[in-house]
Amino acid sequence: MPGWLQRHRLLGVAVLFSALLAPFAAHAQSGDSAQDGSVPAYSTIADALEDETARKALIAELRALAAEKEAAGASDAAGSADEAASAPDEPEPSVSRRFAALTQQVAEGLAREFSEAVAAFSSAGSDTAAVDWPALARASVDLVAVIIAVLVVYFALRRICTPIYRRLDGWSQRPAASALLRKVSAVVVAAGIDGVLIVLAWVAGFALALFALSEPGAMDARQTMFLNAFLLVEAFKALIRMLFATRFDGLRLLPMSADVAAYWNGWFARLSGFIGYGLLLVVPVVNVNVSPEAGRALTLVVMVLAFVYAAVVILRNRDRVRDQLQHYAAGAQLGVGRVALHALARIWHLLALTYFASLAVVAILRPEDALPFLLRASVQTLIAVGGGVFVAIVMAQIISRRIRLPDEVNRKFPLLETRLNGAVPGALHVLRGVILLAVGLVILDAWAAFNLPEWLGSDAGTAFLVTLISVGFVLLIAKAVWIGFASWVELRLNPDSDRGAPSAREETLLALFRSAFLIVLTVLTAMIVLSEIGINIGPLIAGAGVLGLAIGFGAQKLVQDVITGVFIQLENAINTGDVVTAGPVTGTAEKLTVRSVGIRDLSGTYHIVPFSSVDTVSNFMRDFAYHVGVYGVAYREDIDEVMIQLRKAFDALMADPSQAPKVLEPLELHGVTELADSSVNIRVRIKTTPGNQWAIGREYNKLVKQHFDAAGIEIPFPHTTLYFGEDRSGGAPAANVRMLEARDVTPRGDEDAPAVRRRVEQNPTELGDFDEDGG
């Protein structure tokens, strides 16, 4: 077939279809079912279909055109597939591009809505011409009757339930240990009563509309719209009353005065009623009775007025709310709550304006489902935030209370109460973080920014929850194991337990074992947690092994410290509190690790001695000790008398009740051990309890000196003795020479030597310079 003939044939078919479908297109656009000129069009269609020749020609042309279109579509599809296969995959648009596209769509939608609203206002007169005003008036009378009846029933029921509210208010304000839980319970019960009253009034309105104002079993759509709006709006007001109860202070969750609560409750009630009844009742009525364009214009007016009203109230109360939030922040016990309240005080008005602006934008762009969506999102947000705040307050009260254990348990485990009071706040802080995360996800889900149920049902959500629960259990079990093990060690080290005081070896080994157990438990817990969150710990273990080998080669001194320290501990060479000599230092061992020992010497200096520098350990605190005393006396003293006095000194020592328990055995008198240059040395030994040898030695030395002085026994000290021709029998005594102060005693005048001697004897302090003749 020639191309021009084919084009003319297609053109003829198109003209025929245009002539046939033009009346339907006009009917679809105008919405009228009986316009002038439509009857001739129907007649034309009928005549064309009645003509058999025209009908057969039309059918043939349609089949030929369908075949050609299918062939062309197949070739186009193949070409499109080839192009799609050859064309590279376009990258997913970035977040900034998606945000820009969303902003553009919102701006274009708002501009379109405003232009359509202006057009609707300009054509308001022509739209109202087709309104059936008498029917609308009759329906309005019935609607007003339902409204009045529902409101009367609702407020009458609330008045009847006022004594119940008053009792709940008094019960919630009674002093109790769990005042917050009592108050929340009262508020929840009051809100439940509000919900029951709202449902009863709603049911009464339906009964009135079905059986009193119209034919039995039938009701007007306007009445249904009002009842549904009443149910949603009053339910939202009931939630607001949980926060801002005006008449009953005990049924108000937020801490504020009755005047402030009445102000905010009235503002929220007016705003929610204006938006709710406007979008759920007035706008649908206008859509049905006037035109959809007028309804959309009215939606725009309602939301703009609501936003302006909300903005004025928010900006007017900006400073007052900020000061109140800062006041609450100053009294907050938790640092996180204090910081959050301070931040909220600075930006609360911006958040509120953003919220109401979002309400207006969504209601304008999606008028068909805007209010149900906004109401559901607002209620879900309010419940999430309220539940999160309640849980945070309850947890704060739990954290502020200390765990009290019985006195018997505290006697056996002195540090268990401290450990529990230190572990519970940390666990509660982690739990509070999880709850805050859950509240954030619920809020995001409320505003369709995140699909929480779909995510929880997905593999990723399930895996995340399982991982979170597993990690929580691992950490909880690890903490419980550590508290149990540390308490067991504490019980073994407690001298007041049934086992009695631990030995020094047991005390040292348990302390080291506790440190080693903490390290092992920490490493194992970290490995298990990393494995639970999906990290392959195999390379970490292999890397740790290689790193340990490298450290072993590069830190041989450290390895020697550790190995020597292990063997020193196994051989029980040093215990905490022992007086030892380790390396060049002697003192009390205060701290032991596997690498070094901390020693404090007699002067108070603290020394850290690595075990690699310790060749010999001298421990002065093993089982028992000795005071070894060597006492020198003059050669002229009677040795037997000296020994008697030494025993008397020991008897006096044992007579002291503070010293006798420290002595384990009687005095060991070894006798004369050395004839020294200027003394005869006699050695004694006293067996004492470990660590008391120095105290016993000091006390015994004092007693020996006292007894020697009383007996006239000389303890030699450095001196010089001059002898002048002493014979063997000792007949010639040693010269008693005294050093006198040098003075001028030269002879006076005719004094001779004997006269000078007599004068010196009379005045011994004078020492004369004698000449050779004067002697």
Side-chain angles (χ1 to χ4, degrees), residues 586-609:
T586 299
T588 304
E590 293 188 356
K591 182 179 180 182
L592 281 173
T593 65
V594 295
R595 193 196 71 86
S596 63
V597 56
I599 299 176
R600 192 176 298 277
D601 63 13
L602 186 62
S603 62
T605 304
Y606 186 74
H607 305 268
I608 296 179
V609 181

Side-chain angles (χ1 to χ4, degrees), residues 40 53 137 238 294 330 387 552:
T53 304

Side-chain angles (χ1 to χ4, degrees), residues 14-29 37-38 41-42 45:
V15 170
L16 177 60
F17 266 93
S18 300
L20 291 175
L21 299 179
F24 297 102
H27 172 71
Q29 291 176 0
S38 60
Y42 294 144
I45 296 174

Side-chain angles (χ1 to χ4, degrees), residues 21 27 35 41 214 251 376 416 426 432 493 496 615 630 709:
L21 299 179
H27 172 71
Q35 296 289 340
S214 60
L251 302 180
R376 180 185 62 82
L416 179 59
R432 186 177 61 181
L493 296 178
D496 297 332
D615 296 330
V630 178
D709 290 344

